[in-house]
Amino acid sequence: MSRIKNYTDEQLFYKLLHNKTRRSDWNYIRELRSRTTKSVYEQAMALTYQDNQRVVLAGINILAQFGFPRLFQPRTMNRYFQILKNTEDWYIVSTTLVSISHNNKLLTDERVQFLSRYRKSRSVEIRSGLQHALSCCDHDLAIEIKIELSADKIDHIRDWATFSLASQTELDTSAIRQALWARTTDPYLMARDEALMGLAIRKDPGVKPLLVQALTSNENHDSIILEAIEVFNDPDFIPLLEQQIIAPDPLWPKDWVQGTLERLKETIQSEKL
C-alpha cells in the first residue's frame, strides 16, 4: 500500500484499468478516491462514458465515495441516473445502485419512483443494490419497497432491508411494525435479530419475551440482542443479565454482558433521578 501512495494519478488509472488479475483494483480505487482533486474527478467521470464494462465500473466506483463530505455530489448523482436510464447490464446497474447508497441524501420522490422499476428484478444483485440505494431513505415509496424486500427470498436481502427498517429510520408506522414482526420468525437468524432490535427501539411491549428467549437460548445470537436489551431499557433484564455473568457455562461472552448490565443500570438509575 505504501508503494501505491507514490504512484501518480495517471499510473493509478493505468494499473486499475490494465491489471490482469484485478486483485488490487480496490486498492487503486480507494487511493484515487482519496485524491480529491478536480482532475481525478474528471478522469473518473470520463470513464463512465466508455463502452467497456470494466472501465465504466471503475469510474462508477471511484465517484461513489469521492471525498468526505462528498465532492461534486449533485453531478455524480445526475450521472448515475443517466447510466441507469441507458443500460440493462446487471453488473453496471447493481454497482450503480450500491454507489447511489453513498450519496442518497439527494434522492427525490422522482428518483425513488425511477428506482422502483428494479423492485421486481430477477437479479439478486440488482435487488440487493436497490435495498442499499434506498437505505436511510424515508420517502413513502422507499419504505414500501424496503418492506417488500424485507420479505425477499434471499437471506442477505431480507437482513439488510430489515436492518434499514429497524435502525435506519425513526419512522414508526403500523406497516413497519408489521414487517418487523413478520421477521421475528425468520429462519435467518441475523434478519430475526434485526427485527427484534427494531421493535425494541420502538418500545413494542410484545418484543420483551422474545428478547428474554434470545438472551437465554443456545442460538448463536449476535451482540445486537444485548444492544436491543439496552435500548428496550426494562429493569426486569437486570437479574437475567446477572445470571448470565455467574453462570458456569455462559451463553454469552461475560465482558459483553457486563457492559450491557452496567449501561442498563446507569440508564435506569438516571431516569429515577
Side-chain angles (χ1 to χ4, degrees):
M1 284 297 293
S2 59
R3 184 171 59 181
I4 288 178
K5 295 287 184 184
N6 295 325
Y7 289 153
T8 65
D9 296 345
E10 289 68 26
Q11 286 174 322
L12 284 171
F13 276 107
Y14 183 86
K15 289 181 175 294
L16 172 60
L17 300 177
H18 295 90
N19 264 4
K20 292 182 179 180
T21 65
R22 304 185 68 172
R23 285 181 298 181
S24 299
D25 281 10
W26 279 102
N27 291 333
Y28 301 132
I29 288 170
R30 281 189 286 267
E31 179 61 24
L32 285 165
R33 286 172 171 175
S34 72
R35 300 187 181 190
T36 52
T37 65
K38 186 70 180 300
S39 173
V40 170
Y41 180 84
E42 293 295 347
Q43 290 181 74
M45 178 63 76
L47 297 182
T48 70
Y49 287 90
Q50 303 304 309
D51 292 329
N52 182 286
Q53 184 198 66
R54 179 180 182 179
V55 174
V56 173
L57 291 171
I60 291 170
N61 283 320
I62 294 168
L63 297 178
Q65 298 185 64
F66 195 80
F68 188 81
R70 302 282 178 257
L71 300 175
F72 317 111
Q73 194 175 50
R75 186 178 168 196
T76 296
M77 283 289 277
N78 287 338
R79 180 59 189 143
Y80 283 161
F81 279 87
Q82 288 174 357
I83 291 170
L84 292 176
K85 290 175 182 177
N86 291 285
T87 187
E88 294 183 0
D89 182 310
W90 71 267
Y91 201 174
I92 291 177
V93 170
S94 61
T95 299
T96 304
L97 290 172
V98 172
S99 297
I100 286 173
S101 73
H102 299 294
N103 302 272
N104 65 4
K105 289 183 178 180
L106 298 185
L107 283 179
T108 61
D109 288 341
E110 182 181 2
R111 284 175 168 173
V112 173
Q113 181 65 49
F114 178 88
L115 293 179
S116 70
R117 67 178 57 188
Y118 301 115
R119 66 197 295 182
K120 301 294 186 182
S121 173
R122 294 182 179 181
S123 167
V124 172
E125 291 79 9
I126 288 177
R127 297 199 310 277
S128 178
L130 175 61
Q131 191 293 125
H132 287 294
L134 298 177
S135 62
C136 300
C137 183
D138 285 350
H139 294 263
D140 290 346
L141 181 57
I143 295 295
E144 178 185 314
I145 293 170
K146 287 187 286 188
I147 287 174
E148 185 176 294
L149 292 174
S150 73
D152 196 271
K153 63 183 179 181
I154 301 300
D155 288 351
H156 74 266
I157 295 178
R158 293 199 311 280
D159 176 35
W160 278 102
T162 304
F163 165 67
S164 185
L165 293 170
S167 303
Q168 291 188 313
T169 178
E170 294 182 358
L171 294 176
D172 185 10
T173 67
S174 59
I176 289 176
R177 288 208 189 198
Q178 185 176 353
L180 294 175
W181 272 107
R183 299 277 65 78
T184 60
T185 56
D186 198 291
Y188 189 53
L189 185 61
M190 293 179 69
R192 202 188 320 159
D193 286 354
E194 294 293 354
L196 296 182
M197 171 59 93
L199 293 168
I201 289 171
R202 290 158 178 82
K203 307 297 184 183
D204 191 308
V207 78
K208 181 175 178 178
L210 299 183
L211 290 175
V212 172
Q213 181 181 17
L215 178 66
T216 57
S217 74
N218 288 312
E219 288 187 290
N220 189 27
H221 290 280
D222 197 72
S223 60
I224 189 173
I225 292 299
L226 296 176
E227 295 167 18
I229 288 172
E230 288 182 44
V231 169
F232 194 65
N233 194 34
D234 188 315
D236 288 348
F237 282 96
I238 290 176
L240 294 175
L241 292 167
E242 290 174 337
Q243 290 172 19
Q244 289 293 323
I245 291 174
I246 64 174
D249 188 19
L251 302 173
W252 298 83
K254 290 191 176 183
D255 57 334
W256 290 10
V257 179
Q258 186 66 48
T260 296
L261 177 61
E262 291 174 359
R263 288 186 290 272
L264 182 59
K265 285 181 175 180
E266 289 175 4
T267 303
I268 292 173
Q269 183 61 35
S270 65
E271 290 180 349
K272 292 180 179 179
L273 299 178

